[in-house]
Each structure stands twice: as structure tokens, then as C-alpha cells.
Amino acid sequence: MKIITAIRAVRREGRRGTASDIFSLRVSLIIISVIMPALLIRPLVSEYLSSDLKKEGILSAARISSENARYQYLLGLIQYNTGEKEDIEKAVDSYLRSLESNPLNSRAWLSLAKAYSDLGRTKYAEHAVKKAVYFDKNNPNILWEAGVFYLLNEKFAEAVELFKRYILMVPDEQERVYSTIYMLKAEPGYVLENLIPNEYRFYKRYLNFLMSNSLLSESLDVWDRMKALKPKKE
């Protein structure tokens, strides 16, 4: 009832939005923008190192087994994590050797994309991301990181397409996606048409997100969509 009352109030006052209404949201989203680049660094080397497989062991094994996909991938992670351009270039070579042996490793394709992106080789990076999604299209983690990659490279439409698929796979993560998208000040109409799956449950969750962040004007069209669907039980 509170949602209905608030929406009716907005209709009476007109579709107005003030900076103060969404100030807290904007601040939180700016913070997200600072940490987003780090999302594509995962998985970190530490996630792959077991107690009996240390950095020195990987370096040695990679030199001996140059065709071993796993060792070459781990070597690439080690090289990339130094942050030095020369080492990132070496990481690219290691990832490529790994993928020659195992081209189905979507995580290696994503790591390659990140390395290419850091080196300014955007077209190569985009190709690697497409490969990652192609080989692991049903993995929500791959879809999320690929979507973030596209956002960081100003490919908004591509990012939204992947985020929509992500929402369908992981409905409980909807707010994570909505917050990320609103950070970029996306047009509400575009979000509604292209990101939100055409089901009542998704519209309702999106409406709750808007209302909880005082984005009342943006909620009007969502409310209309919900009324049109008229679920039997709500």
C-alpha cells in the first residue's frame, strides 16, 4: 500500500525528480565505480594456489610443461598481478599458450581480455570476452564479469544484454545489477525496455529497488507494466 500511495502522489505532482532524492544512491554508486575495475582481476592467484602448489612450483612447472594449459594459465595470473606492463605482456603470451591447449577455458579468455584491455588492445579484448561467453554461456559469473568489462569499455548495449541474462539466472542479484546500471545514469526507459525481463516478479523487484532509493518518477512506467500483467496471486 505504501508503494501505491507514493506512486499516486508522484502522479499528482508530475514526473519530477530532484537531486536530493537520489543523492545517497549516487554517492554509493560512485563508490562502486571505484572498485568495479577490480572485479575483472578475479580469480586472483591465491584462489588457485593450494598448500602444495606454491608460486615457485608453478613457475618451475610452467617452464617444464610449456603445453600444460593449467600451468600456463596460472603463470599468466602470476605475471599479470605484478601490474607491470612488461609482465602483463608476458601474461598475454602465457594465456595464449594455455588456450592453445585448452580453448574451452572461459576463465582464461576473461583473464586474457583483462590483460589486453590494460594494454589498450580493445578489439582483441572484446574478441576474448566474446569467446569466454560463447564457451560458458550458462555461467552467471562469466556473464557478470563480461558485462562489467563491456561497461568499463563503454559498450552499454552489450553489457545490458549480458546483465539481463544474468538476472534471469540469478534473480536474487537483481539489485546488484540495477545499482551498477544506475551508476551510469542510464535512461529509465531504456532500462525498462532492455534490461528488465518481461515478468511481473522482475518488475516488482525493480519497482522496490526504485522506491527504496526514492526514485519515484522512474517507478511510474514500471507500475503501469505491473498492472498490465495482472498476476493471479499477489
Side-chain angles (χ1 to χ4, degrees), residues 4-106:
I4 297 175
T5 302
I7 290 177
R8 286 174 177 170
V10 173
R11 288 197 186 279
R12 287 196 300 269
E13 297 174 5
R15 296 177 181 239
R16 297 198 303 270
T18 65
S20 60
D21 288 334
I22 59 175
F23 177 75
S24 60
L25 177 63
R26 295 299 184 211
V27 171
S28 63
L29 295 182
I30 289 173
I31 294 175
I32 292 174
S33 71
V34 175
I35 66 173
M36 276 180 64
L39 296 176
L40 284 176
I41 295 176
R42 296 179 302 176
L44 299 175
V45 177
S46 59
E47 297 178 24
Y48 280 84
L49 298 184
S50 61
S51 58
D52 60 344
L53 191 59
K54 302 298 183 181
K55 177 179 177 180
E56 295 75 11
I58 291 176
L59 294 173
S60 176
R63 285 193 294 268
I64 297 172
S65 305
S66 60
E67 295 183 0
N68 185 293
R70 181 167 182 261
Y71 287 145
Q72 291 303 314
Y73 174 50
L74 293 175
L75 175 62
L77 291 177
I78 292 172
Q79 293 166 328
Y80 176 83
N81 276 5
T82 69
E84 299 293 331
K85 181 179 179 181
E86 181 178 351
D87 287 333
I88 294 176
E89 291 175 343
K90 291 179 181 179
V92 167
D93 292 335
S94 297
Y95 294 146
L96 289 174
R97 284 195 297 271
S98 175
L99 288 166
E100 285 179 1
S101 299
N102 180 16
L104 303 181
N105 187 347
S106 59

Side-chain angles (χ1 to χ4, degrees), residues 115-153:
Y116 273 141
S117 182
D118 286 359
L119 294 172
R121 303 175 190 173
T122 305
K123 290 185 178 180
Y124 289 97
E126 291 182 8
H127 174 75
V129 168
K130 290 179 181 178
K131 286 288 188 180
V133 174
Y134 177 80
F135 287 123
D136 211 354
K137 59 178 66 68
N138 294 319
N139 185 330
N141 292 327
I142 295 298
L143 295 182
W144 169 259
E145 295 198 26
V148 172
F149 170 86
Y150 280 123
L151 284 185
L152 294 175
N153 287 275

